[in-house]
Amino acid sequence: MDAIVTQMIILFILVIIGYYLSKKKMMDADFDRKLSGLVINVTCPSLILSSVMDDTLPDRGLILPLLVVGFATYVILIGAAFLLPRYLPVKSSDRGIYSFMLAFGNVGFIGYPIVASIFGANAVFYASILNFPSTLLIFVFGTLFISDGQGKMRFDWRTLYCPAMIASYLSILIVVTGWVPPRVISTPFILLGNVTVPAALLIIGSSIAQVPIRRMFGNTAIYLMSFLRLMLVPLLILYLSRLCRVDETIANINVVLAAMPVASYGTLFCIQYQKGEVIMAEGTFLTTLLSVLSIPLLTMFL
């Protein structure tokens, strides 16, 4: 547990650094937007690929069970995201922002290093397959939630070949074929992938800097959402996993992923649609802060 707490503190320090850099005018909205594009399109896909570019490949027999569990999990998460915000003390126009925060966790930016620290480096591949539905659905339902569904819930086939999805396809292919890429190929992806976590957390910190710090701690609805996001929903998924006798390794990794703070994509989408940036920044800040305690606590149930 000490290792997990240490990892969460390290990641949160990077958020604070992003906050500081923004206050010092070394980061701004335009820089954040460009850096976000780099993370989404280059470094995060590289992180997924680098997880299978090791001498020891993950178990290929778990790919199908991982996909089944991943899609079942997002049926639960998205169902909860449609239902629960109706019972939170928020304006109807803001429910979509809360729906996004409940449905999508920060798997790609925080989840992978946390999974690696708990379960080992090869578990990142399992996490990427479990996160496969999120990569697909976040651009469908995420857009729907943030935009209030203004005629935008249309499946975009381009999602199937966005960089993160291509990286997922290639990582599955590498595992299935058993091919171990030479260092001249794997090292650039590893180096680029290593940029993902610090860059994403700096963006979060920079976004948080735009909001008065007192407001971050003064929203009852954000606290309720945080409890649901970080503890209640993951515990429900753990209970259902055990009820359905899901493989223990898969179930444990999946529960940890379900307990991640609010997805950084939320901030990126809010910037894109110019809506809900303050609420999303509050939710991202508070869930990231509380996850330092909630994730170690949740692992006690595994």
Side-chain angles (χ1 to χ4, degrees):
M1 184 179 293
D2 289 343
I4 302 170
V5 173
T6 300
Q7 182 70 21
M8 295 307 300
I9 292 173
I10 290 170
L11 297 176
F12 193 72
I13 287 173
L14 291 175
V15 175
I16 295 173
I17 292 173
Y19 180 95
Y20 173 81
L21 292 176
S22 181
K23 289 297 185 181
K24 290 296 182 178
K25 309 301 181 184
M26 297 173 69
M27 295 181 70
D28 57 24
D30 185 56
F31 180 85
D32 292 350
R33 189 175 297 107
K34 292 179 180 178
L35 185 57
S36 298
L38 181 68
V39 170
I40 292 172
N41 296 309
V42 179
T43 70
C44 191
S46 296
L47 179 64
I48 294 172
L49 280 171
S50 66
S51 71
V52 297
M53 291 184 172
D54 196 358
D55 293 335
T56 305
L57 290 174
D59 183 0
R60 71 190 70 180
L62 290 177
I63 292 176
L64 183 57
L66 286 164
L67 286 173
V68 172
V69 171
F71 275 103
T73 298
Y74 275 93
V75 168
I76 297 170
L77 289 173
I78 292 174
F82 273 109
L83 177 65
L84 294 177
R86 299 175 183 273
Y87 301 98
L88 294 177
V90 299
K91 296 184 295 185
S92 58
S93 60
D94 292 334
R95 286 176 185 168
I97 307 298
Y98 284 85
S99 292
F100 182 97
M101 291 190 287
L102 286 169
F104 300 104
N106 202 345
V107 176
F109 296 158
I110 295 181
Y112 293 155
I114 293 298
V115 164
S117 68
I118 299 173
F119 303 103
N122 282 344
V124 173
F125 171 72
Y126 300 146
S128 72
I129 303 303
L130 286 167
N131 194 47
F132 196 93
S134 174
T135 308
L136 189 67
L137 297 174
I138 197 169
F139 290 99
V140 179
F141 288 97
T143 300
L144 169 69
F145 291 144
I146 299 299
S147 67
D148 277 338
Q150 297 172 357
K152 296 183 180 293
M153 191 179 174
R154 297 194 310 269
F155 182 75
D156 188 347
W157 289 100
R158 290 176 297 179
T159 301
L160 292 176
Y161 50 89
C162 70
M165 292 298 287
I166 292 173
S168 297
Y169 300 147
L170 291 175
S171 65
I172 292 173
L173 183 63
I174 289 171
V175 172
V176 169
T177 60
W179 179 58
V180 178
R183 285 191 60 194
V184 70
I185 294 177
S186 63
T187 301
F189 286 106
I190 292 170
L191 292 174
L192 283 171
N194 289 340
V195 175
T196 302
V197 174
L201 295 175
L202 289 176
I203 293 169
I204 293 173
S206 180
S207 298
I208 289 171
Q210 311 305 317
V211 183
I213 195 67
R214 282 184 294 181
R215 181 168 179 178
M216 291 291 186
F217 298 98
N219 191 328
T220 301
I222 291 291
Y223 279 96
L224 292 173
M225 180 279 301
S226 299
F227 176 70
L228 293 169
R229 165 81 255 172
L230 299 175
M231 290 299 298
L232 191 60
V233 173
L235 286 174
L236 172 63
I237 291 172
L238 176 61
Y239 170 76
L240 293 175
S241 297
R242 291 179 175 174
L243 189 66
C244 298
R245 298 184 180 180
V246 175
D247 177 88
E248 184 177 357
T249 300
I250 294 177
N252 289 345
I253 294 174
N254 191 48
V255 169
V256 171
L257 295 179
M260 288 298 112
V262 172
S264 299
Y265 275 111
T267 300
L268 311 185
F269 286 164
C270 285
I271 291 173
Q272 178 182 354
Y273 286 99
Q274 299 182 341
K275 179 185 177 183
E277 294 178 51
V278 172
I279 297 173
M280 190 66 72
E282 290 175 351
T284 303
F285 173 82
L286 192 59
T287 54
T288 302
L289 175 64
L290 294 177
S291 66
V292 175
L293 299 175
S294 65
I295 291 176
L297 179 62
L298 186 67
T299 60
M300 297 175 61
F301 294 91
L302 302 179

